[in-house]
Amino acid sequence: EISDIVNDYANGAVNAIDKAGFDCIEIHAANGYLVDQFLQSCSNKRDDKYGGKIENRLTFMKEIVNKIIERGISADKIGIRLSPNGA
């Protein structure tokens, strides 16, 4: 299921750049959105490769970015919105 969600993010990015003509995309990883839920230790209680220490909690976000790059969007067109503890 997580790999499907990663693909959905990549599809959205490709559609934004290639079909809608956006100059860049921003992954919303703040304010309780899905990526933020993986990043925050208070919401991420997983005990697999996506949970625990911060290196693991970053995995989901890194998979999204890498999939977008793999689909042909250059890294300089990808932004990530972060907000520590939803502030």
Side-chain angles (χ1 to χ4, degrees):
E1 183 176 350
I2 290 177
S3 63
D4 291 338
I5 295 168
V6 169
N7 281 318
D8 289 343
Y9 273 93
N11 289 339
V14 169
N15 288 339
I17 300 287
D18 293 345
K19 294 183 179 177
F22 285 32
D23 294 325
C24 58
I25 60 101
E26 181 177 79
I27 299 166
H28 199 321
N31 305 106
Y33 282 78
L34 183 60
V35 178
D36 185 47
Q37 291 177 33
F38 275 81
L39 294 174
Q40 298 296 331
S41 61
C42 60
S43 58
N44 184 341
K45 302 300 183 189
R46 300 178 69 101
D47 60 2
D48 58 6
K49 72 177 188 174
Y50 298 101
K53 58 187 177 177
I54 187 62
E55 292 85 355
N56 292 355
R57 296 193 321 264
L58 284 165
T59 301
F60 181 59
M61 185 173 65
K62 291 190 302 187
E63 287 179 355
I64 291 169
V65 171
N66 288 335
K67 182 62 74 171
I68 292 170
I69 292 169
E70 179 183 303
R71 297 279 305 276
I73 306 300
S74 64
D76 65 340
K77 294 186 178 221
I78 302 170
I80 300 174
R81 180 183 179 129
L82 297 170
S83 183
N85 299 315

